[in-house]
Every structure is written in structure tokens, then in C-alpha cells.
Amino acid sequence: MVAKVISGTEIARSIEDELRQQVSELRAKSSGSQPRLAIVQVGGREDSNVYIRMKLKAAENIGILAEHVQLPRDCTQAELLAKLTALNESPQVHGIIVQMPLDSVHQIDSHLITDAVSSYKDVDGLNTENEGRVAIGDFSGFVPCTPAGCIELIKRTGISIAGKRAVVLGRSRIVGTPVAELLKWEHATVTVCHSKTNDLSEITKTADILVVAIGRAEMVRGSWIKPGAVVIDCGINPIPDATKKSGQRLVGDVAYAEAGQVTGHVTPVPGGVGPLTVAMLMRNTVLAARRQLQRLLLPAWPLQVLRLNTQTPPPSDIVIARSQKPKQIACLAEEIGLFPSEVSQYGSTKAKISLSVLDRLRDQRGGKYIVVAGITPTPLGEGKSTTLLGLVQALCAHRGRNAFACMRQPSQGPTFGVKGGAAGGGYSQVIPMEDFNLHLTGDIHAVTAANNLLAAQMDARIFHELTQKDGPLYDRLVPKVKGVRKFSAIQLRRLKRLGIDKTDPDTLTDEERTKFARLNIDTNKIMWNRVVDLNDRYLRKITIGQSPTEKGFTRETAFDISVASEIMAILALGKDVDDIKQRLASMVVALDKSGNPVTADDLGMTGALMVLLRDALEPTLMQTLEGTPVLVHTGPFANIAHGCSSILADRIAIQLAGERGFVATEAGFGSDIGMEKFFDIKCRASGDTPHCVVLVATVRALKMHGGGPPVSPGQPLHDVYVQENVELLRKGLCNLGKHISNGNAFSVPVVVAINRHGNDTETELNLIKQYAEANGAFRAVVCDHWAQGGAGALDLADAVIDACSSSSDFKYLYPLSLSIQEKILTIAKQMYGAGQVEYTNEVLEKIKVFTSMGYDKLPICMAKTSNSLTGDPAVKGAPTGFTLRVTDMFVSVGAGFVVPMCGEISKMPGLPTRPSIYDIDLNTQTMEIEGLF
């Protein structure tokens, strides 16, 4: 009998052709899905180099991006493990192999190393987890390459494995043991032999299939083989051969010439198992890339929902929050498709998310974009954040849709003041709510530090210019370091703005030196205040520079609350890191004595600001009470800024949610303020298109607009708010109607969410619902998410799904080409119902100046009371034809908007007579916070 040679080379070539087609299909689905393989080598053994070159060539032929990661021979075990960790965490790498043996001068545990490769990227199949899976017939991981190649070779003969007697000679964890397991799961009857097996040749003669991996040259003779058997020779051994230039040749563990006269099929050495091992490695790498893409394209996240144990009546917010044990944030991150390298944990319940996610998912089609706003609220708020969270809990935990809530980080001012935090309430909250409402991951503190460093640099520069002559001032700004003087990069940018085309500090003329060194800030035209994240009324106006060291150069200034800083608005409106950097550089802090703007870049501050804000650039991942994801980022003041969470957080959420997913983001206050700014400022900056408005309304607020008595924090509600009063409610419905029309003005469907309170009657709730749907709402639904969590917002979720599927033709309220006054008039008439707008002479003068500087092309960010559609907080309902008065105006050049001030808008709240401070304490036994909500 003459055996048929099983050519591994030919079979490998056909497999490579199949894989090449698969790679092409992957890349057609997503450019980021081209398989990537990292081959890690320690040292430089030539025999290892030969194998690596084979793998690199095969990868190139197929279209796999293979990287040879070569580490030096003095690489330590710790250094190798650190490199593997980086590769494990990289979403750009699909497969990792470690070339054995490890050629290091240090002792390295090879088993530890193979187990250090993530089982999801272990395309060699040598991780204990993957080997264990094979042992129990679970092929959801990766099958070791040589054993998989052996099975492929047997199958290509056309002979069925099932029912055959198979003998495996060798029990190594790399070949013998796993190939025996694979044969078993192919339904062969398997015997494993090794060097201690008695009567070895008698056992091998019984084999219909013989796999030899013993590592001894030509050990298996022809007489050991059953006639007609299939023989797979895994050995590769050098033996002396004087006819060869190298003095040796490679042979297998089987005497090939003898076996060829007995077997039915046999593999040659070389050209048998070796090429198939490489082909299986390539197949596993493609499989790893395909699995990653499939995970990305899953119709829904594999989310483990947290069950709510609701009580009636619900206990306090903090009791509810503490009754739920949050998921480990790393688990939630994995569920929603994040990689470890994209997650920086702050403890176990919150984490920063890398902006690199946006690059990885750049080809992913995003989800539907929803903005949650409200009617004109009472001072108590109407549950906008609670409704936002109830909606996403309903969408995600109950309707099985990928859904994100994107929220602003609350300031500590309200937390210790009266209104409270913004974590939602009842059974629709962000947890842990203490973390959310206090320091969180320190973003607001970073904004505070950056803002105040800029203020400190500005005042210091003013002082130094007042106390130094031109020459010494220039020399100190551009000092000699080790005898050499040069401009920093930020100083070169200033020179360019000044029209000075020189890079050598010693070549500037005296006039150029003075022009460069002196900012000449007009201390009467400073626009930059210091900030603190607390309510402190005594900082609304202060005098600085009173120390004798400041030589009498005092001036009046003020503190704002940190969330009112322009830096916070920039973080929220930046599209990427470069955009944020440019916006920070462009911030105008003052005018000089000639009326020209002085920027943060002029003060040399841009780089320092970016360093302080580095971590704050990333949004924070948290979760709702039901374990659904929440991204928390930025917290711009809604009165004098745009009052929305960040573009970056929204975009990350939209990409992670995927095409069938939903992202609900909040806008501050009512539709007249937050929603209008969301559309005309935020969406204009991002270019993102919203699909739906959710407008939150309550019986309580509408009764107030119908003429009900004032509602005050800390005071009991009047009887009209806790008893049915249909007539009062009917009178206030006009406010709801105006807010619905505001949403429709942007051609976006408006879903009204009627946030149920305990004293509301069915008659009152139905009246609101009927009115809303008769006056332009896409749908109006009653929600009980505060008492029931997501289950109480199912009708809202269904309405939002339907609204996002309907046709919309989103448009801005005004084009940027209009003048400042035309844009203000458009907003005042269409959003507020005003008849005309009046300006003080001072404001008219500022408009001329801003127009001359080109700021008239910026969008408008109206600063107006949130308690009324008018500029008067005492006026309720939906009045029309009134006069809106603009009493002041400033421009936030970095943020990119002009801010008209309609009445007195404080940027520094004050503490009331009895703030929440009195109720807050730390239990020193349990270290739990008490009295917080």
C-alpha cells in the first residue's frame, strides 16, 4: 500500500484563501475590524525568528495586521506581564501570541505568561481557561492551533472520525492532551500513550487514526502502524545529514519512508502539521476580530439588570439609594462594550471613560438622540432629572433597548443649600447618590483650579507690568537658561498674533519687545472672576490686592460659583481635545487699554489649563438603580451658560448605544432656556441631530401658573397643590402649551411626560394629557417612575420609541448670519412670547463693539430667570406681547456665544437662613453620610 500524502501546505493555502475573503468582508462592515495580531518575543533566537517570519508572511497574505513585539533578553517577568496587560487592554489588538521558548537572562514562568494573555485574545489557545473549555467540549474560546490543525488534516482526508479508534502518542499540554480531547469530541474512541506506556507498538497498531507528538526522531516505525491508518506526525527533529549544506535535516517522530508503505494517509515533515498550525493561528485571529465586531453589532447589550424592591410609600431618596447594591463598574463597562483600556476606575462604582472610544467606534451608526426639558418649573423643580432616569430605566431594563442617560454633574452649592442634588429621586436615581452629589471624580474642582489659576496669572501679570520697566519685564518673560534664551511655543503664538515674524528673542527691536511684553490690561474692563463650588453670598463683590506687598494696586472683583465658569461651558461644548484647547486659548479675560481682547493664550495659560483639566475631559460612568448606564459630565450654569451636559459624553453614549439604541440627555430648566440653548448652541456646535423632546410637566407647576400661591423651598405646600382643583389647573395649561410650541418650532416631535405626584387625581392628570395632545404634543403620558422606577415609565418609553421613529426635519431657530439684535428678538418672540426687546445704552454700545470684533456671528445664550417665560420671575402662565429688557451683555468667546442679561442674574447663589447643612452629618461609627436628601 502506498500512502496518500496529506499536504499541509496545500490545505493551509486553501484556508488562507478563505480567511482572505473573511477579512475583506470584515473590513467592508467596519474599517476598524481589520484583524490585528501581536506576536510577542523575548530575546532573538533564530529558530523562533524563523517561525515568526512564517507567521508574519501568512498574516500579510491574508490581510491581517501583524506586529512583531520584540523585547530584549534582559526583559524581566514583570516587564513582560506589563506589556501583555497593555496588549490585553488595547481594543486595537484582536489576538496575542507569546513566542516560546522565552529567551531571557531572567527566570520567567512560561505557564504564568501564557495564562496572562486574555482568554479573549489567546489565539494560540494556550490559556488554561481555553484549554479547560476544550476539555469539556466548550469551543466558545480558542482551540490550540496545532491540535486544531491535526483535526483539520484528518478531516481533509474525507475519512469520518466518529466511531474510529484513535491513539495519541504524547501528552503535552500544547499538543497531545488537547488533540486527544478534540478527537474525543469528534466521537472517536481515544487512547493516550506516553513514554511510560507498556506495549506501545501493540497499542499503536490498533489505531485507525494515529497522532504522534512524542518529540523523538523517527520513533514510530512502519511495523507499529495499522495498515490503512491515518497518521498525523507532529514531530520536527533535526538529525545529521552530510548531504545537506547545514549538515542536518528535519524529520518527524514517524519513520516516514516506512510509514508510507503501510498507512492510508500520512503527513510529511516538513510541510504537514507546521503550515496548518500557522493557518489555525490565522483562523483564530480572524475569529477574534469577528467576535469583537459581532459584540459591537449586538442588537442589545448583555446587560444584567438590578431588580428593584419597591416600597409603598417610597422611603427617602438616600434610603432607597443605599438599599441597592451597585454593580461593579468594570462589569457594567464590559456589558456596554467598553474595553479595560478605555476605563479608569475611581473605586468600584464609578469610572472615567477614555475619549479614544470615539475613534474606535467612528464607523458605528449611532442611536437616537433625545433631549429632556421641562415647562416653567416651581422653585422645587418638577422632576426633570428623575424623569430622564425613569425613561432610560424603562427603555433599557424593561424594553431591552440600549439606552444611556447623560447628565450634568451637580454643583455642591445646591447640595448644601436648599434645592438638593440632581441624582434623580425615588426609584429613578443615579447611584451611589452621595458620590454623585459631592466630589464625584473631581471635575468641578479641576475647573475651579484652572479658572483660579488663570485669574491669579492675570492679576500677577497686571502687577508685574505696573512695577517693572520694559527691559527687565521682557528679560524676565524670556530669561536665559544656561546661557540660551528662547521663546516657548505659546509665546511664539503671541508673536504671530502681533505680526512679529521672529523666533530669536535677541533680534526683537525695543518697540517689538514692549509690544510683546506688555498686555496693558485695562483693570476697569476685566471679565474674569474667581470661582468656588459653594453658595457664598459674601463673595459676590470683594476687593483684592490689599496686602502691602501688592503696593496699593487694589481692585474690586467677585467670585462666581464654579459651574458658572466659562471653562465649564467649554468642556461641555468641545467636540474633541483639540477643539477644547483652542476654545480655552480663545477665552477673553479682559480688554487692553486700546480696547483689544486679551486672551488666556496671551497670558501663557493654555497649556497649564489643559494639564489641570486633563482628567476632566473624560465623562464619568455611573449607573441607575436598575443597573443601566449613566454618563455624567460637566455642569454649566443654565442661567448664564447653555446648561447642558457635554457633547463628548453624548457622542460616546450615542456610539456605544448603537443604531437601535437611545441616548437621553438633559437640558437645564424649561424649554425656553435649556432646550432652546441645547438646539441652537449645543447641537449647532456638535452637528448632532435630535430626534425627540421629552417635556416634563406636573400638576403642581401648572396650578402655580394658573394663579396658585407661591411655592417656596422648605415651606409646606398650599392646600390647592395637594387637593384637586381642576379650574386652577385649567388656567395654567397655557404654560404647557407654550413649551410644546417651543419644541415644535424646531420641527422635533414633543412627548409630554406628566410626572405624577402623590396628591394628583386622575381627573387632573387626564386633563393635562388631553390638552397636550390637542395642542401639538406627539403624545402625552402619565409617568410614575418616582414610585416604580422604570416600570412606571413604560408608556413614556414606548412614546419615545415611536416619536424617534417618526419623521422630523430639525432646524435651528435662527441663522448665525442675523445680527445680535435680530437673533435676540427671534428668541424673545418665538420662545418667550415677547412683543419687543429694549436695550440700555450701555448694552447698545457693547453690541457695536462685539459686532466690530466679529462676535455678532456667534449664537445667543440668553441669561433669563427660569421661573417665568418673561424676564420677571413673578409673572406666571404664558403672557404675550410683553417687553423683554436686556440690561447687560457679555461674550464668552471660548465657549462661543454672546450672553444678553435680562435682569439681575446672580452667578453666586447664597445660603438661606436654614440651609441643608443643618441636617448633614458623618456617622463616625459606620462612616456613612447622614441627612443627605
Side-chain angles (χ1 to χ4, degrees), residues 414-737:
T415 299
F416 292 103
V418 171
K419 185 181 177 185
Y427 289 100
S428 293
Q429 292 189 56
V430 180
I431 54 173
M433 63 98 77
E434 300 103 309
D435 292 7
F436 182 82
N437 284 301
L438 295 173
H439 304 286
L440 198 57
T441 49
D443 291 359
I444 293 181
H445 302 319
V447 169
T448 302
N451 184 102
N452 292 347
L453 181 62
L454 178 54
Q457 165 69 341
M458 177 181 65
D459 285 318
R461 184 61 174 267
I462 292 169
F463 173 81
H464 291 308
E465 289 190 25
L466 289 170
T467 56
Q468 298 180 52
K469 294 183 178 179
D470 291 353
L473 178 64
Y474 180 79
D475 290 339
R476 288 189 175 100
L477 285 170
V478 196
K480 284 188 177 181
V481 179
K482 296 182 180 179
V484 178
R485 185 152 71 166
K486 64 178 183 178
F487 293 115
S488 66
I490 201 166
Q491 289 177 323
L492 288 170
R493 290 204 298 270
R494 172 162 168 76
L495 286 169
K496 187 175 181 180
R497 286 194 297 274
L498 293 171
I500 301 172
D501 188 21
K502 295 178 180 179
T503 58
D504 183 352
D506 293 323
T507 62
L508 268 67
T509 66
D510 289 343
E511 182 182 355
E512 288 171 337
R513 293 184 182 201
T514 299
K515 190 176 181 181
F516 167 81
R518 293 205 174 273
L519 298 179
N520 287 322
I521 292 173
D522 185 341
T523 54
N524 294 314
K525 294 180 180 177
I526 289 174
M527 308 171 190
W528 197 259
N529 290 341
R530 288 167 172 80
V531 297
V532 63
D533 189 35
L534 294 170
N535 292 359
D536 193 342
R537 65 177 65 248
Y538 274 83
L539 293 178
R540 289 172 178 169
K541 182 171 284 189
I542 62 171
T543 301
I544 61 172
Q546 291 188 327
S547 168
T549 56
E550 273 44 75
K551 302 182 180 181
F553 297 122
T554 63
R555 69 179 181 87
E556 280 193 351
T557 183
F559 270 77
D560 301 331
I561 196 164
S562 295
V563 290
S565 171
E566 184 178 354
I567 292 174
M568 183 65 85
I570 286 172
L571 285 181
L573 288 172
K575 295 188 291 293
D576 52 48
V577 175
D578 289 332
D579 184 35
I580 290 172
K581 187 173 186 178
Q582 183 56 49
R583 287 172 179 267
L584 291 171
S586 302
M587 291 188 301
V588 175
V589 299
L591 300 180
D592 66 18
K593 292 175 183 176
S594 300
N596 300 310
V598 178
T599 66
D601 214 53
D602 289 324
L603 285 164
M605 281 294 301
T606 306
L609 294 175
M610 287 296 292
V611 168
L612 282 172
L613 296 169
R614 184 184 66 169
D615 293 340
L617 298 172
E618 299 177 339
T620 299
L621 177 66
M622 297 186 76
Q623 63 192 282
T624 68
L625 281 165
E626 297 189 59
T628 65
V630 179
L631 280 182
V632 185
H633 203 208
T634 69
F637 213 47
N639 279 0
I640 55 88
H642 66 293
C644 302
S645 61
S646 75
I647 287 172
L648 288 173
D650 288 359
R651 281 188 168 176
I652 288 174
I654 287 169
Q655 296 305 109
L656 285 170
E659 187 175 0
R660 294 184 69 252
F662 297 84
V663 173
T665 190
E666 65 177 337
F669 299 128
S671 72
D672 55 318
I673 300 180
M675 186 197 74
E676 184 273 321
K677 295 174 182 178
F678 171 82
F679 288 142
D680 282 322
I681 297 176
K682 183 177 178 180
C683 290
R684 202 188 297 264
S686 69
D688 295 326
T689 301
H691 297 87
C692 173
V693 174
V694 172
L695 189 65
V696 181
T698 63
V699 171
R700 177 180 66 192
L702 292 171
K703 285 181 176 179
M704 182 188 71
H705 289 292
V711 176
S712 301
Q715 299 298 316
L717 286 173
H718 191 277
D719 287 349
V720 298
Y721 297 113
V722 296
Q723 297 173 3
E724 183 174 292
N725 192 322
V726 174
E727 189 57 32
L728 194 62
L729 175 62
R730 197 185 305 276
K731 290 179 181 177
L733 287 172
C734 58
N735 186 268
L736 173 60

Side-chain angles (χ1 to χ4, degrees), residues 11-53:
I11 296 171
R13 192 176 296 121
S14 69
I15 291 172
E16 287 181 7
D17 290 342
E18 295 169 8
L19 293 176
R20 195 177 298 111
Q21 178 61 33
Q22 291 179 28
V23 170
S24 178
E25 291 170 358
L26 279 173
R27 296 188 68 180
K29 291 179 180 178
S30 172
S31 61
S33 293
Q34 182 173 10
R36 292 171 181 258
L37 172 66
I39 304 172
V40 181
Q41 179 187 22
V42 176
R45 286 176 51 135
E46 184 52 34
D47 55 348
S48 293
N49 291 336
V50 170
Y51 291 125
I52 290 170
R53 285 194 289 269

Side-chain angles (χ1 to χ4, degrees), residues 117-147:
V117 177
S118 166
S119 62
Y120 297 107
K121 299 187 177 187
D122 171 38
V123 290
D124 241 350
L126 300 180
N127 180 291
T128 301
E129 186 176 334
N130 280 324
E131 289 185 327
R133 285 195 177 114
V134 170
I136 62 171
D138 175 2
F139 302 110
S140 61
F142 293 105
V143 178
C145 297
T146 299

Side-chain angles (χ1 to χ4, degrees), residues 90-107:
S90 171
Q92 279 73 45
V93 175
H94 300 104
I96 304 168
I97 64 169
V98 181
Q99 186 68 41
M100 297 294 178
L102 300 169
D103 181 24
S104 175
V105 297
H106 302 289
Q107 187 171 348

Side-chain angles (χ1 to χ4, degrees), residues 286-308:
V286 174
L287 176 61
R290 190 165 65 243
R291 284 174 175 169
Q292 182 171 313
L293 181 61
Q294 287 170 347
R295 180 187 172 197
L296 187 66
L297 300 177
L298 280 174
W301 297 318
L303 198 73
Q304 296 297 311
V305 174
L306 300 180
R307 189 170 58 138
L308 292 180

